[in-house]
Structure formats: structure tokens, C-alpha cells
């Protein structure tokens, strides 16, 4: 939904806004406050006309000319609006609210996902830090910037689990794993809420599993898989206080989620206990016609409301049709009232009403730009994943007398802010060219050739000059970037190789015979099988944001050591997708022989597994011990391991714990992440890392989605990736 974003204008300088006191994060009301809110809502609903009730469910996008929308707000026919990204415009609508009969405050929402002004790395990079606290800080900073223009809700976090890098939206999420995804989901919700925005956890559910990796395509997901794999991040968001959830565009098992009462009402609202509001995605109610489940907009409105969609984002279906549907007896007023109650509950919880228990919401004070930049730099530094480093090629040391930087991406200041607002002056962004040049020692020679005519290497500028430059160097740093137009919404790919002519350039550089450090800017796992064979080092930099290229130079020169780990598997071939570390065992485990699981033309294993990532030092694991190797269904178990920095410089390691249940009523994954901790160790130092697992952490879901804790034997693996080989075992006993 980009069109409306182009309409944004900013006439207000952030710095000129008055600072206000911080009430956030606003805790969810409990007990008496909750009862007080429900009583106020009942009284308010009692005063509302049918038209005003339906108005509370109407959530259009800001449009020009705006007079009709101002009039609609005055009549109580619009309760929320998206893309009003300007304080003056927000005030116009707030005045219209004051002129309305019941003066019900509005929700103003935008997609402040990883950028408002300063662009952060894309969220998959946040997950690559394996440091949820950093994601919380990032979300808080983005929210604090965004809240200054009167917006009070963000369409974030995007928490769809995906094992399919063909799908362009993997860059917005937390990767392939439910446990890691849930940790980041909760952290992001906490951060945005702390920063003064309500959140919309999206997209419920299965949007990350489209068949063929094609955006908007349907997914086939069993109940057990739904609860094991896709729901945990939503449960985490609900537990962290998300006020709203956005329903996804896709079908699940043939029924569009927007019209899916079993998923929205029975699972999300009833089983998961979500009592906030559920919004449709952009124009998704109207698109029920395209799905072939509604003949016209009126039927689409009726089906969506009945499914449990409280907010109609942009379809105008509720606005145009629900009144007639009620009058014709096709929609009970009780269904409308239930949706209105949820909307008003969220508005109360957000503190939008004057008489909110606990006082009215204030905008949090703005953060100064330097501190937002610092957080953006911290996230970028911690997110880079060094997946290969033969011969300790990185960091660039004094032994590399001449360093050749190749690639036009080194001149790019594109911060890839997907929904970055137009109108605000683009923040100063250092290029990799400048940042690296400034960090080399005075004795070192810096050479540069752009090679390509554009940052994404779609065509050559001068290939032979780049080769010549490389010949003169001791070390080649080759930066490639995934074509900037091919990640994000509606950007699925079948080919995950290097974009444009970047692969051809790499072939030519490889022939030079000098060590190559390949830096990859990308929004998704790429297929780097051939590329990685031709280079000594590969550093995955994601799309690193406004501070990203400076952070990149710090890491390349060793000022800061990489510590990121992959939140998604990097496959060897597109044909392996979907590919994940936590697959189920098969009847014929792979041995490499024919008639065992795998491919005749490719290994079944990934190129770089989930959780993988190197440092400039090395770590060894020993002494894995399980406290008391038996636990009951309500028990806990302590696991500890010693981690030693065996290299010569300090570094950070993400210690990961995986389990496998060996025998159960249904096949259980070969490994499942159940814990992680990021630690910092000086050279030669050892640390004992402890984990506590509850038996309930080891539950899985049956065919009805009910959790099962099944007695039996478990293997436990601890190490620095999902391929960890240090192993122990324990058992859950019946009593
Ligand atoms: C996207 C949502 C986004 C919405 C509003 C849709 O196209 O799927 O993630 O929040 O537009 O911009």
C-alpha cells in the first residue's frame, strides 16, 4: 500500500515540537480500571446511533480532497484513519472530532515499521542480533519519532514466521523460528508501546507461508502446525499488550482469513484470549470478492464482520453497507456492538478519552537525533552475520597494504526505508566508501571502482576498470546489493542469486586471484552457493539503514566484531525451499544415498544453517550438564554449559539450546530452539551459561491445537548454531 504514502507531507519540524511528559508504556488496565472502562463503554454504546456505531468501525486512508472526510468525522462516520502523517492534518481531524456529537477520539495510524526519520536496519536484521532488548530500543526510538506528529498507532510489528525467502516480506519479520520470532515479537511490541504508539501485530495468520512464495497466495496449514509454528509470535504480542491485530490477506486451508470466523473469532479472540480489536488489512474486505467468497461488497462486509473483523481498513464496505444489512436483518446489531466495544476498549486503553481511568495519554518527549542514530548504529553493528571467513580474511588488517573496494553500492545512501515518509529531509547517511576510507590506516592504500552504473548492479559502468583496480590490491572488498526494488510487499522472487550483473563481476574478480571479502546487502536469504565458493569471506549486512554503512566499516576494519546469527536458513538452491533447521524426520533419513530423503542433484543441507554466524574470535563449548535428568509435566530442568573464548580477541557469542523429542505420538522436529543467550567473552575467558526449561516449554500441539506435554526422552544440543553437536539428554516422566 504505497500510493497513499506518496501523499505525505511534513510541514512540522520534529525539533520544533514541544516536549511532553511521558506516561508510557501505558500498562493494560486491570481489575477495577478494566471494569470502569467496560462500564463507560456500555454507557457510550447506549448513546450511539447505528450510523455512529458503524462509523467507529470505518478506517479509511487519508485522501484528497479531505473535506468529505472532515465532514464524515463530524458526523461520527469515521473513527480512525491511516496515513495522516502530519501534525497539522491530525489536528484538523481532532477539531472535527470536537465538532461531532459524541466526541469519540480517533486512532491515527501509519506504517512506522523500521523507519520514521532515521532508518533502522530492516527487521530481519533486528532478529539477526539475537538481542531482543536491542529490538525493543529500536522500536521505542521509532515510536518516539513517529508519535510527535500525532500518530498513535503503528502497523507493526510484522511477526509472520516464514521459511520461504522467495517471499519479499521476510525482511519485515523475525525469521523462520517460532521461539526466536516470539522473543522479538514481544520485544518490538514492548518497544513501540514504550515509545508512545499502540501496536498492530500482523498479519494473523499464515501470511508468511504462501504457496510458491508468491505474496498474497494461500497457505495450507494444519492446526498443530498453526499452533506450533505460526501462532507463538502472536501469543507473545498479545501477552506483551498489543492493542490490535491485523488479519492477513491470504487464505488458510481455502478460506480467506478476513472471512474466517474459526481463525479470527474462535482461535484469536477466544482461544488466545485477545480482547483488543482486529483490523482487516488494506482493502482486504473488498478483496473478498477477488477471493471468490463474496459476490458483492455488501456480502463481503457481512462475512468479514461475522468472522470477527472489527475494523474495515480502506474497503469502505462497513460504511457503505452495514446499515442496510442490519435493517434487512442479515446482520444482528449485537455483532456491530461487539465490534464497537472492542474499538472503544482499545481507545480507552490507549488513553485517548479525557476520562480514561489513569489519565489521558500524552505524547512522549522526542528523542534527540543523536540518540536515535546511536540505537540504529547499535542494531546494525550487532546484526551483521559473518557466514564465512577463511584464513581470517576479515577484519581488514595492516597486512592488507592495498584495499580495493568494488561496487557502486559503496556510494549508496539508500537507507531502504520502506515506508519512510516523504517530506522530511533525508537524514545524513555516510557511504561505505567514505566510512571505510576514513578507517584504514594511513599506511594503507585505498582504491575504489564502482563497477556498476547503479547501486544494485543491474548494469555495468566499467567492468575492466574494476578488474584493473582489483589487480592492484592485496584484498578486494566487493559489495553487492539485492536489487532494491525486489524486497518488501509484492516482491516475491524465483531467482535468489545476485541481482543483475553482480555475479558476472564476481567471476571476473575471482580470476584476479586475490582474497575477496564479499559484503551482501539484502532483505532476505539469497542463494550464495556459487558466490561463496569464489570468495574468502562473506558478510551478510542486510539493508542496514541510515547508520548502516558506518557500522559496516567498523566491522570490516575490526573496530567492532561481528556477532549476528542467521534468523533464517540460507539455502543452497531455490529448489530446496521451504527449508528450515526444524524439519521433521522422514522414513529415510538422508545419508547421501539414493532412496534416502534429499535430491539427486543437490545436497539436502543448507548452505548456511539457522543460527550460524562467526566472530573474529572462536568459541569452544564443553561440560554440557543436565541438572536432574528427569522432570515431571509441571517440573523444570536446569542445563548448563561452559563456553570459552579460544581466540585472541574478545567477542560475543549467541549460545543456543535445541531439543529433540525422540519418540512421541507424532513426529517431532529434528531440532527445536528452546533457549538462547548472547554473551561477551575476553580472550581465554570461560563462562558457564545456564538455561532453565519448563516441561511446558517442550509441549507441542495436537490436531485440535491443544498443547500436549508427552512423557519421553529428549536430546538436548547446545552450541553456536542449529548444527550444534554437543549433546546430552533428559526425560519427562509421567509423575
Ligand atoms: C500491508 C500491511 C500494511 C497496510 C497499510 C498493506 O498492503 O499488507 O502490512 O500495514 O498495507 O499500509
Amino acid at each position: 500500500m504505497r500510493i497513499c504514502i506518496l501523499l505525505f507531507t511534513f510541514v512540522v519540524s520534529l525539533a520544533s515540537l514541544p516536549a511532553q511528559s511521558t506516561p508510557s508504556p501505558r500498562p493494560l488496565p486491570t481489575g477495577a480500571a478494566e471494569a470502569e472502562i467496560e462500564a463507560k463503554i456500555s454507557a457510550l454504546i447506549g448513546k450511539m446511533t447505528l450510523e455512529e456505531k458503524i462509523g467507529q468501525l470505518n478506517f479509511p486512508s487519508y485522501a484528497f480532497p479531505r473535506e468529505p472526510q472532515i465532514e464524515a468525522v463530524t458526523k461520527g462516520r469515521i473513527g480512525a484513519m491511516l496515513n495522516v502523517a502530519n501534525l497539522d492534518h491530525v489536528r484538523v481531524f481532532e477539531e472535527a472530532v470536537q465538532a461531532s456529537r459524541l466526541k469519540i477520539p480517533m486512532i491515527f495510524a501509519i506504517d512506522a515499521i523500521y523507519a520514521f526519520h532515521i532508518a533502522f536496519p530492516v527487521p530481519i536484521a533486528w532478529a539477526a542480533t539475537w538481542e531482543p532488548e536491542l529490538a525493543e530500543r529500536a522500536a521505542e526510538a521509532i515510536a518516539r519519532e513517529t508519535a510527535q506528529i500525532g500518530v498513535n498507532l503503528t502497523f507493526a510489528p510484522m511477526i509472520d514466521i516464514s521459511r520461504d525467502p522467495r517471499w519479499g516480506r521476510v525482511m519485515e519479520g523475525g525469521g523462520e523460528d517460532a521461539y526466536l520470532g516470539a522473543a522479538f515479537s514481544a520485544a518490538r511490541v514492548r518497544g513501540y508501546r514504550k515509545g508512545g504508539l499502540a501496536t498492530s501485530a500482523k498479519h494473523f495468520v499464515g501470511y508468511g507461508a504462501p504457496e510458491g512464495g508468491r505474496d498474497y497466495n494461500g497457505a495450507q496449514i494444519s492446526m498443530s502446525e498453526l499452533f506450533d509454528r505460526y501462532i507463538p509470535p502472536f501469543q507473545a504480542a498479545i501477552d506483551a499488550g498489543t492493542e490490535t491485530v491485523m488479519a492477513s490477506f491470504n487464505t488458510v486451508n481455502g478460506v480467506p482469513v478476513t472471512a474466517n470466523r474459526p481463525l479470527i473469532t474462535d482461535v484469536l479472540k477466544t482461544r488466545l484470549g485477545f480482547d483488543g480489536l482486529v483490523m482487516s488489512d488494506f482493502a482486504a474486505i473488498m478483496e473478498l470478492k477477488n477471493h471468490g467468497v463474496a459476490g458483492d461488497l455488501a456480502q463481503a462486509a457481512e462475512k468479514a464482520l461475522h468472522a470477527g473483523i472489527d475494523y474495515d481498513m480502506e474497503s469502505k464496505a462497513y460504511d457503505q453497507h452495514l446499515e442496510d444489512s442490519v435493517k434487512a436483518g442479515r446482520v444482528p446489531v449485537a455483532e456491530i456492538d461487539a465490534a464497537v466495544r472492542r474499538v472503544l476498549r482499545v481507545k480507552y486503553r490507549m488513553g485517548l478519552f479525557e476520562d480514561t481511568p489513569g489519565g489521558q495519554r500524552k505524547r512522549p518527549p522526542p528523542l534527540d537525533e543523536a540518540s536515535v542514530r546511536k540505537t540504529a548504529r547499535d542494531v546494525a553493528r550487532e546484526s551483521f552475520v559473518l557466514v564465512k571467513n577463511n584464513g581470517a580474511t576479515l577484519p581488514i588488517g595492516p597486512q592488507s597494504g592495498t584495499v580495493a573496494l568494488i561496487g557502486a553500492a559503496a556510494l549508496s545512501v539508500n537507507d531502504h526505508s520502506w515506508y519512510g515518509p516523504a517530506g522530511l529531509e533525508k537524514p545524513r547517511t555516510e557511504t561505505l566508501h567514505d566510512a571505510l576510507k576514513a578507517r584504514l590506516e594511513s599506511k594503507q592504500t585505498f582504491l575504489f571502482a564502482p563497477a556498476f552504473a547503479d547501486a544494485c548492479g543491474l548494469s555495468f559502468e566499467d567492468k575492466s576498470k574494476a578488474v584493473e583496480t582489483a589487480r592492484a590490491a592485496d584484498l578486494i572488498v566487493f559489495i553487492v546489493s539485492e536489487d532494491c526494488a525486489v524486497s518488501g510487499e509484492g516482491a516475491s522472487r524465483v531467482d535468489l542469486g545476485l541481482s543483475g550483473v553482480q555475479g558476472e563481476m564476481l567471476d571476473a574478480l575471482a580470476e584476479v586471484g586475490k582474497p575477496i571479502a564479499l559484503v551482501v546487502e539484502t532483505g532476505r536469504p539469497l542463494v550464495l552457493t556459487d558466490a561463496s565458493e569464489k570468495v574468502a569471506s562473506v558478510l551478510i549486512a542486510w539493508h542496514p539503514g541510515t547508520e548502516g554503512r558506518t557500522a559496516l566499516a567498523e566491522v570490516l576494519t575490526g573496530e567492532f566484531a561481528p556477532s549476528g546469527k542467521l534468523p533464517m536458513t540460507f539455502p543452497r538452491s531455490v529448489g530446496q525451499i521451504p527449508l528450515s533447521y526444524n524439519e521433521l524426520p522422514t522414513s529415510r533419513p538422508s545419508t547421501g544415498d539414493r532412496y534416502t530423503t534429499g535430491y539427486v542433484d543437490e545436497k539436502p543441507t543448507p548452505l548456511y544453517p539457522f543460527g550460524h554466524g562467526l566472530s573474529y574470535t572462536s568459541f569452544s563449548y564443553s561440560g554440557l550438564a543436565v541438572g536432574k535428568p528427569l522432570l515431571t509435566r509441571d517440573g523444570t530442568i536446569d542445563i548448563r554449559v561452559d563456553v570459552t573464548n579460544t581466540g585472541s580477541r574478545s567477542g560475543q557469542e549467541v549460545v543456543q539450546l535445541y531439543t529433540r523429542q525422540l519418540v512421541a505420538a507424532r513426529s517431532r522436529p529434528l531440532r527445536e530452539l528452546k533457549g538462547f543467550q548472547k554473551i561477551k567473552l575476553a580472550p581465554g575467558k570461560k563462562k558457564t551459561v545456564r538455561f532453565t526449561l519448563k516441561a511446558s516449554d517442550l509441549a507441542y500441539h495436537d490436531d485440535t491445537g491443544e498443547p500436549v506435554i508427552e512423557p519421553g526422552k529428549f536430546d538436548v544440543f547446545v552450541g553456536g548454531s542449529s548444527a550444534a553437536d554437543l549433546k546430552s539428554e533428559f526425560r519427562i516422566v509421567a509423575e
Side-chain angles (χ1 to χ4, degrees), residues 60 79 132 137 220 272 354 427 436 464 483 492 545 574 589 623 633:
R137 272 174 58 204
Q220 298 290 328
L272 305 187
E354 295 284 350
L436 186 59
S464 38
D483 181 347
S492 298
V574 168
R633 282 185 231 212

Side-chain angles (χ1 to χ4, degrees), residues 566-615:
L566 296 178
M568 260 186 105
T569 303
F570 272 50
R572 290 178 190 278
S573 156
V574 168
Q576 295 178 309
I577 296 170
L579 186 65
S580 171
Y581 81 96
N582 57 8
E583 59 195 20
L584 299 184
T586 66
S587 59
R588 306 260 177 103
S590 173
T591 62
D593 292 342
R594 182 91 184 260
Y595 305 114
T596 65
T597 196
Y599 302 95
V600 289
D601 55 354
E602 184 52 279
K603 292 179 188 159
T605 51
L607 180 64
Y608 300 119
F610 174 82
H612 171 66
L614 306 169
S615 171

Side-chain angles (χ1 to χ4, degrees), residues 184-342:
F184 277 86
S185 165
R188 290 162 74 189
V189 168
R190 280 196 303 270
Y192 288 118
R193 296 186 73 236
K194 250 192 203 172
L197 296 185
T199 53
S200 184
K202 68 187 190 184
H203 310 79
F204 189 85
V205 63
Y207 184 41
E211 285 190 350
R214 288 197 303 284
D215 206 356
Y216 316 117
N217 204 13
Q220 298 290 328
I221 308 174
S222 69
M223 276 301 250
S224 67
E225 194 185 3
L226 194 70
F227 276 86
D228 279 351
R229 194 193 298 278
Y230 297 101
I231 284 183
F234 286 94
Q235 185 70 69
I238 294 167
D239 295 345
T242 190
E243 292 83 355
T244 81
V245 170
M246 188 187 295
S248 54
F249 285 126
N250 52 292
T251 58
V252 171
N253 305 332
V255 181
V257 176
T258 309
N260 198 321
R261 188 171 168 90
L263 281 179
I264 298 295
T265 294
D266 301 346
V267 172
L268 175 60
K269 292 184 174 176
T270 308
R271 281 174 75 166
L272 305 187
F274 177 62
D275 64 358
L277 77 85
V278 180
M279 60 178 75
S280 78
D281 201 342
F282 195 87
I285 297 181
M286 184 168 71
E287 290 168 4
L288 289 177
K289 292 190 289 174
N290 299 344
H291 274 295
V293 299
D296 55 30
L297 195 60
Q299 197 184 15
E302 290 165 15
K303 285 204 167 186
L305 184 76
H306 184 63
I309 304 291
D310 305 307
Y311 249 5
D312 170 2
M313 192 204 294
E314 185 57 14
S315 294
K316 303 179 182 76
Y318 288 0
D319 178 52
Q320 289 172 16
H321 296 288
L322 281 187
E323 198 166 343
D324 287 346
S325 303
V326 170
K327 287 181 181 151
R330 290 191 303 273
V331 167
V333 176
E335 253 179 24
I336 307 241
D337 284 356
V340 173
R341 175 170 291 279
R342 284 174 177 268

Side-chain angles (χ1 to χ4, degrees), residues 623-630 637-640 716 728-731:
L624 175 59
V626 171
K628 190 172 59 106
L630 292 182
I637 189 159
D638 294 323
I639 296 161
R640 62 170 203 276
V716 56
S728 187
E729 58 185 47
F730 61 86
R731 186 180 278 279

